[in-house]
Amino acid sequence: MQQNNVRPETMARITTPELAAAFIEEQVREIRAQVGDKQVLLALSGGVDSSVVAALLIKAIGKQLVCVHVNHGLMRKGESEQVIEVFRNGLDANLIYVDATDRFLDLLAGEADPEKKRKIIGNEFIKVFDEEAGKLSGISFLAQGTIYPDILESHGVKAHHNVGGLPEDMEMELVEPLKLLYKDEVRVVGKALGLPDEMVFRQPFPGPGLGVRCLGAITRDRLHALREADAILREEFDKCGLAGKVWQYFVAVPDFKSVGVRDNKRYEGWPAIIRAVNTVDAMTATIEEIPYAVLHRITDRITHEVEGINRVLLDLTPKPIGTIEWE
Ligand code: XMP
């Protein structure tokens, strides 16, 4: 088991490719020494931490690592596809892809309470992962993308955030090569491992994914509209350079419609709410100014290209008083 959960004061902050290379070399040695010829299981969400752990373990032990990517149907557009592309096709990983969309959406149907939605998603995630683990034999280790702030905060306010939390009764030894690193160091290591920028500089994405942005009881048509509108927002932020300046930005779609006109006919649709915030630690957040020209272009594209959406709104609320997410 892991003993060393305190970052030594002498440990240099990993800020350069050279320091990252040294860290990688040391970890490859340690991982090989820890796991020998045994197999290691990893829940690969596609987030920064689990992706960097996966790349590091693939470098150290290749196909002894078994990655399981559970698509809960609440991913952003293209994200599960990217996991498959980067890890299965690019790094030749041993990757099990589970499309559990129907299971999650069926369970969530009709549930409007945010905490209950989170619970359903968290519990079902564990169930699906558990089932996949049960199909494999000879797995002795469980890898996790734990990073240093997780250790520091594990008794604090963010505990509920680790939706990918795994069953405690899994009898596997943990492999946590990033547990002494801060987020910025994880990104430097990820880059040194050759992961694409979209993955290494990915925005924080809540474990329950679009589930907390498709407000109230999730329906498939509104979830689809949200995913498309969110993809347009990301595309336009990429094009105008805001993507590199804004910490987190996304669309939320509430569960009500307003009256509009499309093709000279009455057209009832949902509003798409844009939220773009800057923060250091997600405890407080300020609002990023978006040029009106960009807002007009995004509004034009979303209202014309996304079925079901007929208005675009901008959320100007800092945290506090609003949380970053709407649910
Ligand atoms: P809030 O909404 O609390 O969010 O201001 C702060 C940061 O945490 C993310 N967040 C979550 N991440 N599971 C996660 O893994 C969750 O349930 C969850 N809820 C919020 C949010 O996106 C923001 O970056």
Side-chain angles (χ1 to χ4, degrees), residues 8 123 166 272 313:
N123 291 343
L166 296 166
L313 315 180

Side-chain angles (χ1 to χ4, degrees), residues 51-70:
S51 297
V52 174
V53 168
L56 190 54
L57 279 150
I58 289 165
K59 192 172 173 71
I61 56 169
K63 298 234 163 149
Q64 281 167 254
L65 175 72
V66 183
C67 304
V68 177
H69 176 68
V70 177

Side-chain angles (χ1 to χ4, degrees), residues 25-76:
E25 205 177 299
E26 173 195 301
Q27 286 305 317
V28 164
R29 252 196 329 268
E30 286 189 14
I31 292 164
R32 285 181 183 154
Q34 188 188 1
V35 309
D37 60 0
K38 301 279 186 349
Q39 286 200 298
V40 181
L41 186 63
L42 169 73
L44 175 58
S45 67
V48 181
D49 306 336
S50 69
S51 297
V52 174
V53 168
L56 190 54
L57 279 150
I58 289 165
K59 192 172 173 71
I61 56 169
K63 298 234 163 149
Q64 281 167 254
L65 175 72
V66 183
C67 304
V68 177
H69 176 68
V70 177
N71 179 357
H72 50 22
L74 303 165
M75 304 292 283
R76 286 181 134 173

Side-chain angles (χ1 to χ4, degrees), residues 115 118 157-164 203-209 212-213 247-248 250 275 277 279 281-285 319 322-327:
E115 286 309 306
R118 269 204 171 71
V157 279
K158 277 175 73 183
H160 75 286
H161 280 173
N162 288 324
V163 158
Q203 298 176 54
F205 186 56
V212 295
R213 299 176 183 171
W247 195 80
Q248 193 171 13
F250 57 86
R275 186 137 177 82
V277 301
T279 177
D281 56 10
M283 303 298 286
T284 62
K319 175 182 180 174
T323 48
I324 294 177
E325 302 291 344
W326 271 58
E327 283 191 343

Side-chain angles (χ1 to χ4, degrees), residues 191-202:
K191 254 195 105 64
L193 285 163
L195 289 174
D197 278 3
E198 310 97 80
M199 211 159 229
V200 171
F201 296 102
R202 209 174 92 139

